[in-house]
Amino acid sequence: MWETPSLIASMLTPEAHAMLARKHLLLPEGVADHADRGLLRRSAEPIVSADPAVARWGFIGAPVWQQPEPDLSVQEIVPGLRRGLRRLLDTEATTTAWDWTSRTELGQRSTAVLDHGDIVLDPPNDTARSVSDRLFAAVTTVIEQGQLPLVVGGDHSIGYPVISAQAAGHRDLVVVHLDAHADRRPIPARQTTADCGNFVTWCLDDRPDLRWLTIGVRGIDTNLARGTTGADDPVSYLTAAEVGAAGWQDVVAAHCHGRPVHVSVDIDVLDPSIAPEVAYPALDGLDPTQVRAVLDVVAASGTIVGLDLSEVCGPMTRRNQAAMLAVDLIHRTISKGTQ
């Protein structure tokens, strides 16, 4: 179009450019390299599908492992979590069930989820940067369709493109990050995108004003890159030991107060005695009741607008406790975000 003599570039205003992009007459910047293979591949066993016009959540599988260890069975994780969530949503949608947690009858309510499939991965040709760009474009598309992104990985490197897309779509976004580790290590020279140990650093490098609360940290964190200290630091922390102590709810409520909240979860926030199937277990973590209490405060104080969950490991051929707890956490979060 730019080479057409009859078209004067200065006449294409930002508003006109945005309109053409919405009509798919122009590709959004940075996604032209995905046109040959697309962004997403449909799952063979999708979550119960919903009409895009009524779907509240948009599911994206992101089985991204930058440095997988042989015993993690990483290829099984996203399909296993998808199956667990589908069973739970099917039960909720088709039966009259009793919820012992709330002591209420669920009735025929349904949390509408549209399964967009899994990020296209081409190991011989992909780079970490190309996968990250593809995930950013996919999440942006889900947001533009009016859905809340629900992204399941994979390692926590997925947090960078997911939260970057969320920050672009929500001006006052804040992040609640549940994790045993700060994931705030320095960015090595020549690294082109985030890894699971520094995705927070990448997010803050792009958006220094992004307010961030990390909950559940513990143990010794090597090579932590804290940009500032004290009141000027955009990241606040609640250690696992502090959750349950006096005043922790006030910290979470003040952080989320009246704002859109993206929830980012590494399942190793749970204690390994409860959820052992994780990549980097750390003792003295949270229990499921504490995580649910955190989500309750988040939902009551702000508006949940998205979720990414990562780092479930191990085979799905037996009872995987981390996977079962992850499915429960996903369901509880998207139910709160739908209310």
Side-chain angles (χ1 to χ4, degrees), residues 194-207:
D195 61 44
C196 63
N198 67 11
F199 86 93
V200 177
T201 311
W202 275 84
C203 288
L204 296 175
D205 193 56
D206 289 350
R207 285 282 305 272

Side-chain angles (χ1 to χ4, degrees), residues 44-289:
E45 299 179 285
I47 296 170
V48 57
S49 59
D51 186 331
V54 301
R56 183 59 174 156
W57 287 86
F59 182 98
I60 296 174
V64 179
W65 294 89
Q66 292 188 7
Q67 296 177 327
E69 297 181 16
D71 62 343
L72 297 185
S73 302
V74 296
Q75 71 279 1
E76 301 178 29
I77 305 305
V78 170
L81 294 179
R82 178 185 264 112
R83 286 194 299 271
L85 184 58
R86 185 179 68 245
R87 283 195 295 267
L88 196 55
L89 292 174
D90 284 349
T91 299
E92 181 186 74
T94 60
T95 66
T96 301
W98 180 260
D99 183 353
W100 279 107
T101 302
S102 62
R103 289 182 178 268
T104 58
E105 194 171 279
L106 293 180
Q108 294 289 325
R109 70 176 184 172
S110 176
T111 304
V113 177
L114 179 63
D115 192 339
H116 291 267
D118 295 337
I119 286 292
V120 171
L121 297 176
D122 184 12
N125 300 307
D126 271 335
T127 63
R129 177 60 185 269
S130 66
V131 172
S132 179
D133 289 348
R134 197 174 300 139
L135 184 53
F136 176 90
V139 174
T140 299
T141 300
V142 168
I143 295 171
E144 289 177 346
Q145 288 184 2
Q147 297 153 21
L148 306 179
L150 165 57
V151 185
V152 174
D155 68 38
H156 219 159
S157 65
I158 67 170
Y160 172 56
V162 173
I163 293 170
S164 296
Q166 286 280 62
H170 299 279
R171 180 179 178 183
D172 298 326
L173 185 77
V174 297
V175 177
V176 171
H177 170 209
L178 293 159
D179 204 323
H181 312 95
D183 291 345
R184 201 177 173 188
R185 297 176 182 175
I187 299 173
R190 295 185 296 278
Q191 188 181 52
T192 59
T193 192
D195 61 44
C196 63
N198 67 11
F199 86 93
V200 177
T201 311
W202 275 84
C203 288
L204 296 175
D205 193 56
D206 289 350
R207 285 282 305 272
D209 60 335
L210 182 61
R211 306 307 297 180
W212 196 287
L213 175 61
T214 298
I215 301 173
V217 284
R218 54 196 184 268
I220 298 174
D221 210 335
T222 58
N223 203 19
L224 182 65
R226 295 193 66 184
T228 58
T229 57
D232 293 333
D233 191 344
V235 183
S236 301
Y237 297 93
L238 281 173
T239 67
E242 290 170 330
V243 177
W248 73 267
Q249 297 99 326
D250 296 335
V251 174
V252 178
H255 177 75
C256 301
H257 181 65
R259 294 196 174 193
V261 184
H262 180 84
V263 179
S264 184
V265 180
D266 185 328
I267 202 65
D268 70 15
V269 70
L270 295 168
D271 191 84
S273 66
I274 301 168
E277 302 89 352
V278 299
Y280 304 103
L283 295 175
D284 300 321
L286 302 184
D287 63 41
T289 301

